[in-house]
Amino acid sequence: MAKDNGLPRVYIVMRQDLNMSPGKLAVQVGHGVDFVHVKKTASYREWMESARRRKIVVAVKDLQELAEIKALLVERQVPSHDIWDAGLTEFKEPTHTGLVIPPWPQSLIPGKVKFLPLWK
């Protein structure tokens, strides 16, 4: 199997403290992937043409840790997009559930993001 360490990857960073049902999590991740296809980054074409379009769902503890990750991305000029739930089902109000990092070169993704725990 060929190594793809240099290929762009999509990271979807989700909050654990919300205790989302599996269905709610799936929809929120879907919102993130929708954004990837609507707002194409410079690395989008390379990612789409790859046989291995990596999408990695990672977890943060809470809104504070999510904000720390967002600040780090802004500092490093890594594109991202916030994921919000409208508050129509599980949450009583609009809720910031996570963020997505569209296809971006691995060498430019902060290590703190790459080493977040995988969603379980």
Side-chain angles (χ1 to χ4, degrees):
M1 196 176 293
K3 290 192 176 209
D4 63 355
N5 291 338
L7 289 176
R9 293 185 180 143
V10 170
Y11 284 89
I12 302 165
V13 182
M14 301 303 296
R15 289 176 52 191
Q16 289 179 316
D17 64 315
L18 296 174
N19 297 314
M20 290 179 268
S21 69
K24 175 59 75 180
L25 175 67
V27 169
Q28 297 305 298
V29 168
H31 290 328
V33 173
D34 281 350
F35 177 81
V36 167
H37 294 294
V38 171
K39 300 289 185 180
K40 298 171 177 71
T41 62
S43 299
Y44 178 81
R45 184 179 179 109
E46 180 183 7
W47 180 74
M48 281 300 294
E49 290 175 353
S50 168
R52 305 181 75 166
R53 287 186 293 279
R54 299 278 194 217
K55 294 167 281 307
I56 303 165
V57 181
V58 295
V60 291
K61 294 179 296 192
D62 52 26
L63 185 58
Q64 180 179 336
E65 189 176 11
L66 185 65
E68 291 168 6
I69 295 296
K70 178 73 174 191
L72 179 61
L73 296 172
V74 169
E75 177 186 315
R76 301 269 180 94
Q77 299 182 341
V78 175
S80 68
H81 178 74
D82 294 315
I83 302 171
W84 283 82
D85 180 75
L88 302 176
T89 56
E90 289 185 28
F91 307 122
K92 295 182 195 265
E93 60 189 21
T95 303
H96 190 186
T97 58
L99 63 83
V100 61
I101 302 169
W104 205 244
Q106 281 297 288
S107 62
L108 301 177
I109 299 289
K112 185 168 184 170
V113 172
K114 290 190 243 183
F115 295 107
L116 286 168
L118 294 174
W119 186 273
K120 293 184 182 186

